[in-house]
Amino acid sequence: MSTISIKVNGKRIEAKEGEMLAVALFRAGYKKFRKSVNGEDRSLFCGMGVCFECLVNVNGKTVRSCITPVKEGMEVEFEES
Ligand code: FES
């Protein structure tokens, strides 16, 4: 896997091309991706695309970060808490 950089909430982080986005985010220190309707932190849970707890926006589209491979040019956005 080659090392690339992607943009996360306006900042550049390093990631391995092809690894799952949630892994790259965790390694960069991002552990919470959004809030529930009750205001609880949400993040990686099932890790296999079933629970939808890991949703983030990539280039304007909502994706499950645990099953989304990292690619060059990604711009990731989510609500940091
Ligand atoms: S962690 Fe469950 S869908 Fe991603």
Side-chain angles (χ1 to χ4, degrees), residues 8-32:
V8 178
N9 290 341
K11 298 176 191 165
R12 290 249 166 229
I13 67 164
E14 284 194 348
K16 303 287 185 191
E17 189 163 26
E19 73 178 337
M20 293 304 119
L21 178 56
V23 173
L25 293 174
F26 261 65
R27 195 172 46 251
Y30 297 101
K31 309 272 195 247
K32 301 167 186 170

Side-chain angles (χ1 to χ4, degrees), residues 22 33 43-55 63-67:
F33 302 159
S43 184
L44 190 65
F45 185 65
C46 74
M48 57 185 189
V50 176
C51 73
F52 288 73
E53 296 290 358
C54 63
L55 296 178
V63 301
R64 289 167 283 176
S65 60
C66 70
I67 59 167

Side-chain angles (χ1 to χ4, degrees), residues 65-78:
S65 60
C66 70
I67 59 167
T68 301
V70 169
K71 293 179 190 163
E72 188 73 54
M74 275 186 156
E75 293 195 18
V76 184
E77 294 181 341
F78 55 89

